[in-house]
Amino acid sequence: MKEWDYGKPWFHGSPILLNELLVGSTITQDRELARIFSHKPSIVAYDEDGARFHNGKLCGYIYIIDEEIISEDVYPHPATTMKPGEEWLIKRGLKVRKIDDTRTRVEEQLSREEEIELLEKLKNR
Protein backbone atom coordinates (compact mmCIF):
# COMPACT_ATOMS: atom_id res chain seq x y z
CA MET A 1 0.00 0.00 0.00
CA LYS A 2 1.82 3.03 -1.26
CA GLU A 3 -0.31 5.63 0.56
CA TRP A 4 0.11 4.04 4.00
CA ASP A 5 1.75 5.89 6.92
CA TYR A 6 4.38 3.33 7.93
CA GLY A 7 5.83 5.79 10.48
CA LYS A 8 2.90 5.39 12.91
CA PRO A 9 3.41 2.94 15.80
CA TRP A 10 2.99 -0.78 15.08
CA PHE A 11 1.74 -3.31 17.63
CA HIS A 12 1.60 -7.04 18.20
CA GLY A 13 -0.55 -8.95 20.69
CA SER A 14 0.38 -12.32 22.10
CA PRO A 15 -0.18 -14.52 25.15
CA ILE A 16 3.57 -15.32 25.04
CA LEU A 17 6.44 -13.23 26.42
CA LEU A 18 8.55 -12.10 23.45
CA ASN A 19 11.62 -10.04 22.56
CA GLU A 20 11.42 -10.50 18.80
CA LEU A 21 8.82 -11.45 16.19
CA LEU A 22 9.55 -14.06 13.55
CA VAL A 23 9.09 -13.59 9.81
CA GLY A 24 5.40 -14.06 8.98
CA SER A 25 4.12 -12.68 12.29
CA THR A 26 1.09 -10.39 12.28
CA ILE A 27 1.32 -6.73 13.26
CA THR A 28 -1.15 -3.85 13.24
CA GLN A 29 -1.27 -0.12 13.83
CA ASP A 30 -4.49 -0.63 15.80
CA ARG A 31 -3.50 -1.06 19.46
CA GLU A 32 -6.98 -2.33 20.43
CA LEU A 33 -6.82 -5.00 17.74
CA ALA A 34 -3.40 -6.05 19.07
CA ARG A 35 -4.98 -6.30 22.54
CA ILE A 36 -7.66 -8.62 21.15
CA PHE A 37 -5.03 -10.69 19.32
CA SER A 38 -3.18 -11.06 22.64
CA HIS A 39 -6.04 -13.32 23.77
CA LYS A 40 -5.30 -15.73 20.86
CA PRO A 41 -8.80 -15.73 19.31
CA SER A 42 -9.69 -17.86 16.32
CA ILE A 43 -12.62 -15.52 15.58
CA VAL A 44 -12.78 -11.70 15.69
CA ALA A 45 -16.08 -10.11 14.65
CA TYR A 46 -17.54 -6.60 14.42
CA ASP A 47 -21.11 -5.51 14.98
CA GLU A 48 -22.86 -2.76 12.98
CA ASP A 49 -21.58 -0.14 15.45
CA GLY A 50 -17.97 -1.26 15.07
CA ALA A 51 -17.73 -3.00 18.47
CA ARG A 52 -15.40 -5.99 18.39
CA PHE A 53 -16.10 -9.45 19.73
CA HIS A 54 -13.88 -12.53 19.89
CA ASN A 55 -13.48 -16.00 21.30
CA GLY A 56 -9.98 -15.59 22.78
CA LYS A 57 -9.64 -16.86 26.35
CA LEU A 58 -5.99 -16.18 27.26
CA CYS A 59 -4.44 -13.27 29.12
CA GLY A 60 -1.52 -11.76 27.27
CA TYR A 61 0.61 -8.80 26.34
CA ILE A 62 0.67 -5.87 23.94
CA TYR A 63 3.98 -5.15 22.28
CA ILE A 64 5.18 -2.14 20.33
CA ILE A 65 7.54 -2.76 17.45
CA ASP A 66 10.82 -1.35 18.74
CA GLU A 67 12.39 -0.41 15.42
CA GLU A 68 11.52 1.52 12.28
CA ILE A 69 9.13 -0.10 9.80
CA ILE A 70 9.29 0.73 6.10
CA SER A 71 7.03 -0.47 3.28
CA GLU A 72 9.46 -3.24 2.31
CA ASP A 73 9.18 -4.77 5.83
CA VAL A 74 5.45 -5.55 5.73
CA TYR A 75 2.61 -6.53 3.42
CA PRO A 76 -1.16 -6.68 3.94
CA HIS A 77 -2.33 -10.07 5.21
CA PRO A 78 -3.58 -11.84 2.06
CA ALA A 79 -6.27 -13.89 3.84
CA THR A 80 -7.54 -11.38 6.38
CA THR A 81 -11.20 -10.93 7.18
CA MET A 82 -10.39 -7.51 8.67
CA LYS A 83 -10.74 -4.14 7.00
CA PRO A 84 -7.90 -3.23 4.58
CA GLY A 85 -4.80 -2.09 6.46
CA GLU A 86 -5.71 -3.59 9.83
CA GLU A 87 -3.63 -6.76 9.63
CA TRP A 88 -0.11 -6.99 8.18
CA LEU A 89 2.54 -9.70 7.95
CA ILE A 90 6.25 -9.04 8.44
CA LYS A 91 9.03 -9.97 6.02
CA ARG A 92 11.87 -9.85 8.58
CA GLY A 93 12.31 -10.46 12.28
CA LEU A 94 11.46 -7.41 14.37
CA LYS A 95 12.37 -6.41 17.93
CA VAL A 96 9.42 -5.78 20.23
CA ARG A 97 8.98 -4.18 23.65
CA LYS A 98 6.15 -5.14 26.00
CA ILE A 99 3.97 -2.12 26.81
CA ASP A 100 0.95 -3.64 28.54
CA ASP A 101 -0.55 -6.75 30.12
CA THR A 102 -4.03 -7.79 28.99
CA ARG A 103 -7.03 -9.52 30.53
CA THR A 104 -10.05 -10.80 28.66
CA ARG A 105 -13.21 -8.71 28.88
CA VAL A 106 -16.52 -10.49 29.43
CA GLU A 107 -18.41 -7.96 27.30
CA GLU A 108 -16.29 -8.87 24.24
CA GLN A 109 -16.65 -12.65 24.50
CA LEU A 110 -18.62 -14.48 21.83
CA SER A 111 -21.00 -17.13 23.09
CA ARG A 112 -20.66 -20.64 21.68
CA GLU A 113 -23.87 -20.06 19.71
CA GLU A 114 -22.48 -16.84 18.20
CA GLU A 115 -19.26 -18.65 17.24
CA ILE A 116 -21.22 -21.38 15.45
CA GLU A 117 -23.36 -18.79 13.64
CA LEU A 118 -20.31 -16.84 12.46
CA LEU A 119 -18.54 -19.99 11.28
CA GLU A 120 -21.64 -20.99 9.29
CA LYS A 121 -21.75 -17.54 7.63
CA LEU A 122 -18.08 -17.84 6.66
CA LYS A 123 -18.61 -21.32 5.28
CA ASN A 124 -21.52 -20.12 3.11
CA ARG A 125 -19.67 -17.17 1.58
Side-chain angles (χ1 to χ4, degrees), residues 22-25 71-76 89-94:
L22 300 175
V23 171
S25 295
S71 63
E72 289 79 19
D73 295 330
V74 296
Y75 60 99
L89 298 176
I90 62 173
K91 296 179 183 179
R92 66 179 178 91
L94 296 171

Side-chain angles (χ1 to χ4, degrees), residues 1-18:
M1 291 173 113
K2 296 281 185 211
E3 309 267 331
W4 199 259
D5 185 353
Y6 297 92
K8 288 183 181 177
W10 291 88
F11 303 96
H12 177 79
S14 175
I16 301 168
L17 283 169
L18 301 167

Side-chain angles (χ1 to χ4, degrees), residues 16-32:
I16 301 168
L17 283 169
L18 301 167
N19 293 315
E20 186 173 342
L21 297 179
L22 300 175
V23 171
S25 295
T26 303
I27 63 174
T28 182
Q29 289 181 318
D30 183 333
R31 182 181 170 138
E32 276 300 295

Side-chain angles (χ1 to χ4, degrees), residues 30 33 44-53 81-83 86 118:
D30 183 333
L33 186 57
V44 178
Y46 298 82
D47 70 10
E48 58 278 348
D49 297 323
R52 295 173 177 161
F53 301 91
T81 57
M82 306 279 164
K83 296 174 189 167
E86 287 190 326
L118 286 168

Side-chain angles (χ1 to χ4, degrees), residues 1-123:
M1 291 173 113
K2 296 281 185 211
E3 309 267 331
W4 199 259
D5 185 353
Y6 297 92
K8 288 183 181 177
W10 291 88
F11 303 96
H12 177 79
S14 175
I16 301 168
L17 283 169
L18 301 167
N19 293 315
E20 186 173 342
L21 297 179
L22 300 175
V23 171
S25 295
T26 303
I27 63 174
T28 182
Q29 289 181 318
D30 183 333
R31 182 181 170 138
E32 276 300 295
L33 186 57
R35 182 188 59 77
I36 289 171
F37 284 158
S38 77
H39 303 309
K40 202 69 170 167
S42 60
I43 300 171
V44 178
Y46 298 82
D47 70 10
E48 58 278 348
D49 297 323
R52 295 173 177 161
F53 301 91
H54 62 89
N55 66 345
K57 306 277 189 242
L58 303 175
C59 296
Y61 311 98
I62 300 174
Y63 297 91
I64 192 163
I65 306 307
D66 211 14
E67 54 186 287
E68 182 182 1
I69 299 286
I70 59 173
S71 63
E72 289 79 19
D73 295 330
V74 296
Y75 60 99
H77 195 301
T80 189
T81 57
M82 306 279 164
K83 296 174 189 167
E86 287 190 326
E87 191 175 13
W88 299 73
L89 298 176
I90 62 173
K91 296 179 183 179
R92 66 179 178 91
L94 296 171
K95 293 178 185 166
V96 294
R97 180 171 35 92
K98 185 178 81 141
I99 58 171
D100 207 358
D101 295 355
T102 65
R103 301 277 179 258
T104 56
R105 298 177 182 172
V106 174
E107 66 272 15
E108 293 176 345
Q109 291 292 304
L110 290 168
S111 69
R112 185 67 186 136
E113 294 77 23
E114 290 169 323
E115 284 185 46
I116 292 167
E117 182 182 332
L118 286 168
L119 291 172
E120 282 297 317
K121 284 181 183 177
L122 283 174
K123 206 166 46 170

